Amino acid sequence: PGWRNLPLVSKLSLKKCPSRLSDMFPKISYTGNPYLPASGLELLTSLLAYDPSRRLSARDALNHPFFSENPLPKHPRDMPTYPSLHETGRRKAEPSSFELEQQALRDAFMQDDARFSRAWHRPR
């Protein structure tokens, strides 16, 4: 059933709360310009609308005036690129003397444990 047909809906009252989304962003950026201009806040508010009929579609969002204001967005080819770490050929760092000592102690413990286990389970 629709929302209005649910039982007890007529007794429920929801008050409209003002948006506090603008409080999430600093008023001024390090450049002295607004951190998020009014059009950006309006775009974000429209995308986050709870009511699907009032929510902005992806196509409409891409055509929003926010994307035609200065500073204009960069073309993807102008964006910096960084090599992936797995492609740089880095080798794993050599273990420290402490790590080597700890590994030697673990190995010795495992050898002693194996000897004890064999002696304990030996047929009598």
Side-chain angles (χ1 to χ4, degrees):
W3 165 259
R4 301 203 187 282
N5 298 334
L6 291 172
L8 303 177
V9 165
S10 61
K11 296 181 182 179
L12 182 67
S13 66
L14 299 173
K15 64 180 182 175
K16 191 163 187 148
C17 297
S19 172
R20 295 180 44 208
L21 191 58
S22 63
D23 297 341
M24 302 293 185
F25 298 95
K27 300 298 178 212
I28 303 288
S29 72
Y30 67 92
T31 62
N33 296 325
Y35 194 81
L36 183 66
S39 62
L41 186 62
E42 193 271 328
L43 171 63
L44 192 55
T45 303
S46 299
L47 288 169
L48 297 174
Y50 184 72
D51 182 0
S53 65
R54 297 181 64 213
R55 192 177 311 137
L56 204 58
S57 70
R59 177 168 283 121
D60 292 338
L62 288 173
N63 293 323
H64 194 275
F66 172 74
F67 294 113
S68 59
E69 291 181 358
N70 283 327
L72 294 173
K74 288 187 175 190
H75 192 277
R77 71 172 177 263
D78 297 331
M79 297 297 288
T81 58
Y82 303 98
S84 173
L85 286 180
H86 75 277
E87 295 172 357
T88 59
R90 289 188 179 191
R91 290 186 299 155
K92 189 175 180 182
E94 295 294 324
S96 67
S97 59
F98 176 76
E99 291 170 326
L100 290 172
E101 183 181 338
Q102 292 296 310
Q103 185 60 45
L105 287 172
R106 278 193 293 274
D107 293 344
F109 175 77
M110 295 305 285
Q111 287 174 353
D112 287 347
D113 188 51
R115 275 188 249 136
F116 175 75
S117 184
R118 281 193 302 271
W120 182 259
H121 296 292
R122 203 177 287 157
R124 297 183 188 225

